[in-house]
């Protein structure tokens, strides 16, 4: 459990808050947690400040789920772990920003297929990130149709490898491009990436949504901030 003294918090806020007592968070206003995270980071990105802000962002999404996207954007801005940043990005709630060019109403244009067939096709797209060479195994007409649909957004060299097999060209945009192809199949930014569904590399809650506290390693049992210390209700 993270604990911060009154003096520490006052030092964090000395440049922006003129109150003589540290702020209190009671778990009723999610926006207050976001505001505190932003104020702390504005005062300086020390390790302690980042840890504190990270917890505030996570708690804001729990207190008010409508703030989840804002909280996750704040977490992405703080994240220095490339892998975890990619996990956050792939799980962002829908918006016109970030991969917004993906077709949202994909069911209107995507080939009709079962959920199992779609996930199987996604796994082949995922191979672009996990394998050096793509070997074409037996594919039925539906799989080929789905892969052709997904590959439309890919550069020509990646598209050829996905459809015909061969050595995967390693580019800086490979992860983003292959993820975008998966999102095309899954339904755009309203769904989780196939990497999540297949590998389980992002913790999911029972509802199928990302388990943000588990991903960020934040203890949410203590969410009331009083006198500079986190408390359980």
């Amino acid at each position: 459990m993270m604990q911060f003294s009154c003096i520490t918090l006052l030092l964090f806020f000395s440049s922006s808050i003129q109150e003589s007592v540290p702020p209190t968070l009671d778990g009723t206003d999610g926006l207050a947690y976001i505001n505190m995270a932003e104020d702390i980071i504005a005062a300086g990105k020390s390790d302690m400040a980042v840890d504190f802000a990270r917890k505030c962002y996570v708690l804001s999404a729990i207190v008010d789920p409508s703030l989840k996207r804002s909280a996750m954007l704040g977490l992405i801005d703080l994240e220095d772990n490339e892998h975890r940043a990619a996990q956050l990005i792939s799980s962002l709630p829908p918006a016109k920003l970030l991969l917004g060019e993906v077709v949202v109403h994909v069911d209107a244009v995507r080939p009709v297929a079962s959920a199992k067939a779609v996930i199987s096709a996604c796994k082949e797209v995922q191979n672009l990130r996990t394998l050096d060479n793509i070997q074409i195994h037996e594919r039925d007409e539906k799989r080929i149709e789905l892969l052709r649909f997904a590959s439309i957004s890919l550069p020509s060299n990646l598209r050829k490898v996905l459809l015909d097999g061969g050595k995967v060209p390693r580019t800086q945009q490979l992860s983003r491009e292959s993820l975008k192809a998966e999102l095309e199949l899954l339904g755009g930014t309203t769904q989780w990436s196939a990497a999540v569904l297949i590998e389980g590399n992002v913790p999911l809650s029972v509802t199928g949504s990302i388990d943000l506290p588990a991903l960020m390693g934040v203890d949410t049992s203590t969410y009331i901030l009083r006198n500079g210390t986190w408390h359980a209700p």
Side-chain angles (χ1 to χ4, degrees):
M1 179 177 70
M2 291 182 295
Q3 292 188 338
F4 291 78
S5 67
C6 297
I7 294 176
T8 302
L9 280 177
L10 286 173
L11 288 174
F12 279 149
F13 287 99
S14 61
S15 62
S16 58
I17 295 179
Q18 302 301 318
E19 298 176 0
S20 58
V21 295
T24 297
L25 299 173
D26 60 9
T28 61
D29 182 2
L31 188 58
Y33 287 81
I34 286 183
N35 289 338
M36 181 173 285
E38 292 175 346
D39 287 339
I40 289 174
I41 292 302
K45 280 191 175 182
S46 67
D47 290 344
M48 183 179 291
V50 169
D51 285 344
F52 189 88
R54 183 178 286 123
K55 176 158 184 168
C56 285
Y57 278 129
V58 171
L59 291 175
S60 72
I62 292 177
V63 171
D64 185 350
S66 69
L67 297 174
K68 188 171 186 178
R69 180 177 174 83
S70 296
M72 290 176 69
L73 289 171
L75 289 168
I76 290 168
D77 188 53
L78 292 179
E79 192 55 59
D80 57 4
N81 181 301
E82 184 176 345
H83 181 61
R84 190 157 62 177
Q87 292 175 315
L88 287 167
I89 290 170
S90 70
S91 304
L92 271 173
K96 292 183 178 180
L97 300 176
L98 193 65
L99 297 178
E101 65 269 31
V102 170
V103 178
V104 175
H105 301 293
V106 68
D107 287 333
V109 293
R110 185 185 65 196
V112 177
S114 67
K116 183 178 180 180
V118 170
I119 294 300
S120 294
C122 281
K123 190 167 185 178
E124 291 208 41
V125 177
Q126 185 184 357
N127 285 340
L128 292 173
R129 296 197 300 276
T130 60
L131 301 178
D132 292 326
N133 289 277
I134 302 296
Q135 296 182 352
I136 302 301
H137 300 291
E138 185 177 349
R139 292 176 175 174
D140 58 27
E141 292 184 4
K142 181 57 64 178
R143 177 77 61 84
I144 294 172
E145 187 180 15
L146 286 169
L147 290 175
R148 283 176 176 166
F149 168 77
S151 67
I152 291 174
S153 65
L154 293 175
S156 59
N157 56 346
L158 282 179
R159 187 172 196 267
K160 180 174 177 57
V161 169
L162 178 65
L163 298 179
D164 301 331
K167 184 173 178 58
V168 179
R170 295 297 162 184
T171 68
Q172 289 185 337
Q173 294 298 315
L174 175 60
S175 293
R176 180 182 176 89
E177 289 161 346
S178 60
L179 177 58
K180 187 191 300 183
E182 293 175 54
L183 291 172
E184 292 277 9
L185 287 171
L186 288 168
T189 53
T190 59
Q191 302 291 335
W192 313 118
S193 76
V196 172
L197 295 174
I198 296 167
E199 292 185 339
N201 60 345
V202 176
L204 300 179
S205 71
V206 293
T207 62
S209 61
I210 188 174
D211 188 339
L212 197 57
L215 175 62
M216 304 310 299
V218 170
D219 175 16
T220 58
S221 65
T222 55
Y223 62 83
I224 295 174
L225 183 68
R226 186 185 302 118
N227 297 325
T229 303
W230 292 108
H231 298 273

